[in-house]
Amino acid sequence: MTGQACDSLTLPRRSGTQGKQMKQSTMQKQHWRAPQHTSNNLLTRRAFLKLAGTAFLATAAGCASKTAPPAATPSARGRAVEIALTAQEASWELAPGKRITAWTYNGSVPGHPIRVREGDHVRVLFTNRLSEPSTIHWHGVDVPAAMDGVPDLSQRAVQPGATFTYEFDARPAGTRWYHTHADSARQLDLGLSAPLIIEPQAGDPGADREYTLLLDDWVTGSLAPTPPPADNGMMGGNMMGGMMDDAGPAYDTFTINGKAFPATAPLIVRQGERVRLRLINASNMQTFVLSLAGHRLQVTHTDGNPLQQAVEVDALPIVPAERYDVIFVADHPGRWPLYALNRPHTQGGLKTLIVYEGSESAPEAELPSLAPGLRVWSYGLGQGVDRLPQPSGHGATYQLTLSGGMMMSGDPNVWTINGKVYPQTDPLVAERNQLISVRLSNMSMQTHPFHLHGQSFRVLRVGGQTLPAPLIKDTVDVPAMMGTVDLEIVAFNPGDWMFHCHKPMHMDGGMATLVKVA
Ligand code: C2O
Ligand code: CU
């Protein structure tokens, strides 16, 4: 079934390399079992029906539409796209000899990748074949509140055997993702997450080739439940992330698209290409600091939203739930590791190889040793393109103090906002289209990647330092030990929205509140 392979995570742009890519994609998808009423997420229903009657179906579905636009030109109202997602158990091999029972969307890890165009009307027919209630949250998408997937807030959780139809317009464009929002600390850990890519209608500079890489952390039981040692070379706020956990499961395996090195799929490139990586951190606890040996990375998007200019860096920290789009220029033939600067992450499998065509048998370049003067991404380096609507006026200003954990509350599983745990926390209130200001101050020993549902926000200041131009994000890292972040929310999407730490253990431990937009 070519159509399935075409939905895979790699999207070659050049026809000359398609054969190779397709084979690889098919291999990645071995465990993929098609749901009964699957429909293609790259074609309009009309185009699909037209094609369905022809012998061209197998080759026309999916891939062809990537290199040539689909038959139907998108109208302002967008296409109607229907996707069937089934949450189900599947046996999954993270690496040779490391087989787990994963919780999946449509049988694969990551779950079934969705790729649509901005403005498309998306209908997702969700079936829960798990043994527990579940929901789907569309992270970074401006969905209507009833489609947001938070149990008991936006909907009743979908019971085992039951179905639910999610319906929303795909907005805004960018690298988004979707995941469970029920019993997150457990369900997200078991694999219920997947990429959701919304292509812009226009104005995408594009790349010659593109890969989407979803990064994740796993507990397979090969480590004793003690925190891994801090990596000496990489002290400092952002870098420590997952290395400072004072409680919780011992994450021992780290994956790129569901595979730990050496099982990761190599990324094939051709000399001279501009290659885009869409990076999604779906892990529960890890800040992954990514680097590509022999190349610099140009950061072009934060959480799917464009920067005014690309920012060139040697290493890119990504906190849980953040996404970055980066471009690298393939100007250095060979076989180069894409890896994490925190050695325990790389040793645990977070590594793949960039392989130039023609260099397939070249020796693998060694991991560079940490050099002083390494240029590491931080929020202050980027200048966002402000796409938020004009506010109607200024509302309240909120101060949220984040605390908890062993050091602050004496209980590793209690996490607070202004001393309270959800649902006792005080909500933030805004009238529709009002601008509200929020200062997040972190008194605890851990970083808290804070996420707002339903609308993105502006990041204005970090640690009291004003950014050269606000970043547009939906997830912001609040650094540990007195870190502060100032942000502005233009409350354009009516409803009650979760605003919470995206480390699910912290969210379940109370670090969550609501933004109520009337
Ligand atoms: Cu990505 Cu409330 O979640
Ligand atoms: Cu947290």
PDB file of all heavy atoms in Angstrom, residues 415 447-449 501-503 506-507 511, ligand 2:
ATOM      1  N   TRP A 415       3.379  19.735  42.952  1.00  0.00           N
ATOM      2  CA  TRP A 415       3.870  20.865  42.160  1.00  0.00           C
ATOM      3  C   TRP A 415       2.804  21.948  42.165  1.00  0.00           C
ATOM      4  O   TRP A 415       1.638  21.672  41.881  1.00  0.00           O
ATOM      5  CB  TRP A 415       4.196  20.410  40.737  1.00  0.00           C
ATOM      6  CG  TRP A 415       5.308  19.415  40.744  1.00  0.00           C
ATOM      7  CD1 TRP A 415       5.202  18.054  40.769  1.00  0.00           C
ATOM      8  CD2 TRP A 415       6.706  19.700  40.791  1.00  0.00           C
ATOM      9  NE1 TRP A 415       6.454  17.480  40.820  1.00  0.00           N
ATOM     10  CE2 TRP A 415       7.394  18.463  40.832  1.00  0.00           C
ATOM     11  CE3 TRP A 415       7.460  20.884  40.804  1.00  0.00           C
ATOM     12  CZ2 TRP A 415       8.786  18.381  40.882  1.00  0.00           C
ATOM     13  CZ3 TRP A 415       8.843  20.806  40.843  1.00  0.00           C
ATOM     14  CH2 TRP A 415       9.494  19.557  40.881  1.00  0.00           C
ATOM     15  N   THR A 447      13.222  22.712  35.652  1.00  0.00           N
ATOM     16  CA  THR A 447      12.643  23.579  34.634  1.00  0.00           C
ATOM     17  C   THR A 447      11.193  23.160  34.405  1.00  0.00           C
ATOM     18  O   THR A 447      10.828  22.003  34.592  1.00  0.00           O
ATOM     19  CB  THR A 447      13.391  23.460  33.296  1.00  0.00           C
ATOM     20  OG1 THR A 447      13.124  22.176  32.761  1.00  0.00           O
ATOM     21  CG2 THR A 447      14.878  23.633  33.476  1.00  0.00           C
ATOM     22  N   HIS A 448      10.365  24.145  34.055  1.00  0.00           N
ATOM     23  CA  HIS A 448       8.962  23.853  33.769  1.00  0.00           C
ATOM     24  C   HIS A 448       8.592  24.386  32.385  1.00  0.00           C
ATOM     25  O   HIS A 448       8.439  25.591  32.199  1.00  0.00           O
ATOM     26  CB  HIS A 448       8.060  24.474  34.837  1.00  0.00           C
ATOM     27  CG  HIS A 448       8.332  23.941  36.205  1.00  0.00           C
ATOM     28  ND1 HIS A 448       8.119  22.624  36.557  1.00  0.00           N
ATOM     29  CD2 HIS A 448       8.845  24.543  37.304  1.00  0.00           C
ATOM     30  CE1 HIS A 448       8.475  22.441  37.813  1.00  0.00           C
ATOM     31  NE2 HIS A 448       8.919  23.583  38.302  1.00  0.00           N
ATOM     32  N   PRO A 449       8.465  23.495  31.415  1.00  0.00           N
ATOM     33  CA  PRO A 449       8.019  23.922  30.093  1.00  0.00           C
ATOM     34  C   PRO A 449       6.520  24.196  30.118  1.00  0.00           C
ATOM     35  O   PRO A 449       5.712  23.277  30.177  1.00  0.00           O
ATOM     36  CB  PRO A 449       8.361  22.725  29.202  1.00  0.00           C
ATOM     37  CG  PRO A 449       8.441  21.555  30.114  1.00  0.00           C
ATOM     38  CD  PRO A 449       8.806  22.074  31.470  1.00  0.00           C
ATOM     39  N   CYS A 501       2.355  22.981  33.159  1.00  0.00           N
ATOM     40  CA  CYS A 501       3.673  22.441  32.894  1.00  0.00           C
ATOM     41  C   CYS A 501       3.516  21.200  32.025  1.00  0.00           C
ATOM     42  O   CYS A 501       2.649  20.368  32.272  1.00  0.00           O
ATOM     43  CB  CYS A 501       4.393  22.080  34.179  1.00  0.00           C
ATOM     44  SG  CYS A 501       5.997  21.301  33.837  1.00  0.00           S
ATOM     45  N   HIS A 502       4.359  21.081  30.991  1.00  0.00           N
ATOM     46  CA  HIS A 502       4.236  19.949  30.063  1.00  0.00           C
ATOM     47  C   HIS A 502       5.073  18.749  30.464  1.00  0.00           C
ATOM     48  O   HIS A 502       5.240  17.812  29.694  1.00  0.00           O
ATOM     49  CB  HIS A 502       4.548  20.378  28.637  1.00  0.00           C
ATOM     50  CG  HIS A 502       3.713  19.667  27.607  1.00  0.00           C
ATOM     51  ND1 HIS A 502       3.903  18.337  27.282  1.00  0.00           N
ATOM     52  CD2 HIS A 502       2.666  20.078  26.865  1.00  0.00           C
ATOM     53  CE1 HIS A 502       3.016  17.989  26.356  1.00  0.00           C
ATOM     54  NE2 HIS A 502       2.248  19.033  26.090  1.00  0.00           N
ATOM     55  N   LYS A 503       5.608  18.768  31.686  1.00  0.00           N
ATOM     56  CA  LYS A 503       6.119  17.510  32.225  1.00  0.00           C
ATOM     57  C   LYS A 503       4.913  16.870  32.895  1.00  0.00           C
ATOM     58  O   LYS A 503       4.422  17.385  33.919  1.00  0.00           O
ATOM     59  CB  LYS A 503       7.248  17.769  33.224  1.00  0.00           C
ATOM     60  CG  LYS A 503       8.524  18.264  32.539  1.00  0.00           C
ATOM     61  CD  LYS A 503       9.632  18.567  33.544  1.00  0.00           C
ATOM     62  CE  LYS A 503      10.928  18.893  32.809  1.00  0.00           C
ATOM     63  NZ  LYS A 503      11.950  19.439  33.735  1.00  0.00           N
ATOM     64  N   HIS A 506       4.498  16.652  36.585  1.00  0.00           N
ATOM     65  CA  HIS A 506       4.274  17.927  37.274  1.00  0.00           C
ATOM     66  C   HIS A 506       2.830  18.390  37.099  1.00  0.00           C
ATOM     67  O   HIS A 506       2.214  18.914  38.026  1.00  0.00           O
ATOM     68  CB  HIS A 506       5.224  18.996  36.741  1.00  0.00           C
ATOM     69  CG  HIS A 506       6.671  18.701  36.984  1.00  0.00           C
ATOM     70  ND1 HIS A 506       7.674  19.548  36.608  1.00  0.00           N
ATOM     71  CD2 HIS A 506       7.278  17.638  37.576  1.00  0.00           C
ATOM     72  CE1 HIS A 506       8.846  19.019  36.956  1.00  0.00           C
ATOM     73  NE2 HIS A 506       8.625  17.856  37.533  1.00  0.00           N
ATOM     74  N   MET A 507       2.307  18.194  35.891  1.00  0.00           N
ATOM     75  CA  MET A 507       0.904  18.571  35.661  1.00  0.00           C
ATOM     76  C   MET A 507      -0.009  17.755  36.575  1.00  0.00           C
ATOM     77  O   MET A 507      -0.866  18.307  37.267  1.00  0.00           O
ATOM     78  CB  MET A 507       0.530  18.340  34.194  1.00  0.00           C
ATOM     79  CG  MET A 507      -0.935  18.619  33.909  1.00  0.00           C
ATOM     80  SD  MET A 507      -1.348  18.528  32.156  1.00  0.00           S
ATOM     81  CE  MET A 507      -1.158  16.787  31.826  1.00  0.00           C
ATOM     82  N   MET A 511       0.614  21.256  38.877  1.00  0.00           N
ATOM     83  CA  MET A 511       1.091  22.487  38.243  1.00  0.00           C
ATOM     84  C   MET A 511       0.314  22.766  36.960  1.00  0.00           C
ATOM     85  O   MET A 511       0.795  22.579  35.842  1.00  0.00           O
ATOM     86  CB  MET A 511       2.589  22.403  37.968  1.00  0.00           C
ATOM     87  CG  MET A 511       3.193  23.756  37.648  1.00  0.00           C
ATOM     88  SD  MET A 511       4.973  23.692  37.462  1.00  0.00           S
ATOM     89  CE  MET A 511       5.512  23.834  39.158  1.00  0.00           C
TER      90      MET A 511
HETATM   91 CU    CU B   2       7.173  21.206  35.492  1.00  0.00          CU
END
